[in-house]
Amino acid sequence: MINSIFRWLNWDFIHMGKGIEARYARCSSYWEPHLECTRQFISEHVQPGGRLAILGAGRLLDVDLRKLIPQFCEIHLFDADRSVVRAWRKTSGIAFRDTVVPRIGDITGSLNAWSSGLPSAVRRRELADYLRSLVPSRGAWEVERFDGVVSLNLVGQIPLYWRDRVLAAAGRISHDEEQAIVASMARLQSAHLKALREHACSWSILITDTEYYTYHVDRPEWEVEPALYGGARDEMLSSARRMDKLGSGCWLWHLMPQFVESEQEGVIHRVEATAWRARADALEGPTC
């Protein structure tokens, strides 16, 4: 069990990243409308100048980094998958480590600390209580000063890593433990959204899945599952209390076409994008 936890600590981000890369290779023509909508929304709503943080930069499929480089004195790319650095270096060229700064680590600041207590909780048969006791920490990006922050198709992924680590440690779980897992997943999402809203940046962009649709080509009904757990949707909406909206958008991402990856079903995500600017009394000058 302990070995399993350490395996996840070291490899789950890379494994997921490689999986995304492989799925893109298979489904690129289906993904391109979503990727183009994302790139266009970012391009239209960034506020040039100073330091920019891109959270969940991945392999830069959905952000035009070359277009952004001339607009900022620093662009910090955050991701937990260290295998993406090669793509960052290739895309940014001579700007790498000068204008483009690689930042590898868990964006939530919580997953490794939370995971370290799983073996003991499972062994004592106190998993549900342990999960309910967990409080999210602050990620590295939260304690730094950035002029703009982009959360890039990240919110829906954050809780999945945690859920997989819990299931890897626990194996079979009870209904009570399942509910406790979901509640802890919701806290991770809400913490990220709250941090994005309360960060002292001048502006922010949030792009996130909000619903998952499963379809079968021979059936008229779609199965619908929320991508935001618990109070995460409320956290997203509450940004209006502090920020002035710059723009919003919504589109569908054909993530897994039926007959390409699965003969039985296909998956489509509903994606929402919102750009916010801090109100005038909260604005500060650029950091560089």
Side-chain angles (χ1 to χ4, degrees):
M1 184 182 300
I2 293 177
N3 289 337
S4 176
I5 291 297
F6 280 105
R7 177 171 59 85
W8 282 112
L9 290 178
N10 292 325
W11 297 107
D12 57 344
F13 295 118
I14 295 175
H15 178 75
M16 182 77 81
K18 293 290 187 182
I20 292 171
E21 183 178 39
R23 177 168 282 171
Y24 172 68
R26 293 189 295 269
C27 308
S28 58
S29 62
Y30 293 89
W31 283 30
E32 190 54 37
H34 155 67
L35 298 177
E36 180 55 31
C37 284
T38 305
R39 290 189 290 259
Q40 183 175 343
F41 188 88
I42 293 171
S43 177
E44 291 176 354
H45 293 95
V46 294
Q47 310 295 297
R51 302 173 80 227
L52 170 64
I54 300 180
L55 311 179
R59 285 163 174 75
L60 302 173
L61 298 176
D62 40 11
V63 60
D64 190 343
L65 182 64
R66 290 192 177 100
K67 188 173 182 179
L68 293 176
I69 287 173
Q71 301 182 57
F72 298 92
C73 64
E74 291 181 9
I75 300 177
H76 291 245
L77 302 180
F78 287 82
D79 205 282
D81 174 7
R82 63 179 179 269
S83 72
V84 301
V85 174
R86 180 179 298 179
W88 296 352
R89 181 183 292 110
K90 180 179 179 180
T91 302
S92 52
I94 61 173
F96 189 68
R97 297 192 185 277
D98 181 12
T99 301
V100 177
V101 183
R103 306 290 297 273
I104 299 301
D106 169 30
I107 290 167
T108 72
S110 302
L111 293 188
N112 285 351
W114 285 16
S115 299
S116 65
L118 284 173
S120 176
V122 171
R123 187 170 57 251
R124 298 193 311 267
R125 299 186 180 180
E126 297 175 355
L127 178 60
D129 290 339
Y130 175 71
L131 294 172
R132 293 189 181 100
S133 73
L134 295 171
V135 177
S137 303
R138 301 179 74 187
W141 69 274
E142 298 179 53
V143 297
E144 295 188 40
R145 173 76 169 91
F146 292 104
D147 298 280
V149 178
V150 177
S151 178
L152 188 57
N153 287 306
L154 175 66
V155 178
Q157 294 183 39
I158 285 174
L160 303 184
Y161 293 100
W162 170 239
R163 178 200 63 192
D164 289 347
R165 290 186 180 192
V166 176
L167 295 178
R172 298 179 62 181
I173 58 173
S174 67
H175 177 68
D176 185 42
E177 290 167 340
E178 180 181 8
Q179 289 183 316
I181 293 172
V182 172
S184 65
M185 293 165 67
R187 288 198 296 278
L188 283 174
Q189 284 187 324
S190 294
H192 178 76
L193 293 167
K194 183 179 180 181
L196 193 67
R197 172 167 52 87
E198 295 185 349
H199 191 279
C201 58
S202 300
W203 58 271
S204 58
I205 292 175
L206 170 65
I207 300 174
T208 180
D209 304 330
T210 56
E211 289 181 326
Y212 302 143
Y213 308 134
T214 301
Y215 71 89
H216 307 261
V217 295
D218 57 347
R219 303 179 194 172
E221 301 87 2
W222 287 11
E223 299 173 17
V224 183
E225 179 184 355
L228 300 176
Y229 299 88
R233 165 62 81 169
D234 293 336
E235 284 290 350
M236 190 168 80
L237 296 175
S238 67
S239 297
R241 301 172 193 158
R242 178 178 173 182
M243 311 285 276
D244 292 323
K245 183 184 278 190
L246 292 169
S248 61
C250 180
W251 56 85
L252 297 179
W253 175 11
H254 202 164
L255 178 78
M256 193 183 79
Q258 188 174 1
F259 307 123
V260 174
E261 288 207 346
S262 169
E263 293 295 317
Q264 286 72 42
E265 62 186 23
V267 177
I268 295 173
H269 289 190
R270 173 186 171 90
V271 179
E272 294 185 33
T274 308
W276 306 94
R277 178 174 56 202
R279 289 178 176 164
D281 57 358
L283 290 174
E284 300 180 20
T287 55
C288 55

